[in-house]
Amino acid sequence: QVQLVESGGGLVQTGGSTRLSCVAPGSIFSVYAMGWYRQAPGKQRELVASITSGGSTNYADSMKGRFTISRDNAKNTVYLQMNSLKPEDTAVYYCNAHHGAWYLKDYWGQGTQVTVSP
């Protein structure tokens, strides 16, 4: 079993900041693209940001400029720095590992709650 271990989150005030972390096994982290998704109450899961093994990043339009994804290859860790938080950012945030090959499954973390108080 492959486990993605997430940390961070919690209760944050509007306009505040927090950083999420996700640690993956080295054999996964070195090859897979890593990403963060979120799911708010009553809404579908959506991509927040992703980063490839080569460091190429992608952001949802509403996140660009506020959120930053990064990776530390020495620590097998991907981060999501979240700034200027809004109540609409309240959601469960999930770490994801994705391989381009169709026969290799994605891996997911358990999710961590981020609540932004108005």
Side-chain angles (χ1 to χ4, degrees):
Q1 183 179 5
V2 175
Q3 184 177 14
L4 305 182
V5 181
E6 300 159 327
S7 61
L11 180 62
V12 187
Q13 289 184 327
T14 296
S17 301
T18 193
R19 188 178 75 164
L20 308 182
S21 301
C22 174
V23 181
S27 60
I28 298 298
F29 193 85
S30 63
V31 177
Y32 285 60
M34 303 296 297
W36 290 96
Y37 289 75
R38 72 183 186 185
Q39 187 165 21
K43 297 184 178 181
Q44 294 183 321
R45 184 179 61 188
E46 64 177 341
L47 174 70
V48 176
S50 64
I51 184 167
T52 68
S53 59
S56 179
T57 60
N58 182 61
Y59 298 91
D61 289 342
S62 62
M63 322 299 174
K64 198 171 184 65
R66 297 192 300 125
F67 294 1
T68 303
I69 189 170
S70 61
R71 61 192 295 155
D72 185 335
N73 293 335
K75 297 183 179 296
N76 298 326
T77 302
V78 63
Y79 304 96
L80 183 67
Q81 178 68 44
M82 300 188 289
N83 300 324
S84 302
L85 285 164
K86 309 172 182 178
E88 307 93 270
D89 296 318
T90 296
V92 177
Y93 285 73
Y94 297 93
C95 183
N96 166 264
H98 174 74
H99 198 284
W102 66 268
Y103 51 86
L104 295 177
K105 68 176 183 180
D106 281 17
Y107 295 95
W108 294 89
Q110 292 293 314
T112 184
Q113 176 72 44
V114 175
T115 301
V116 183
S117 61

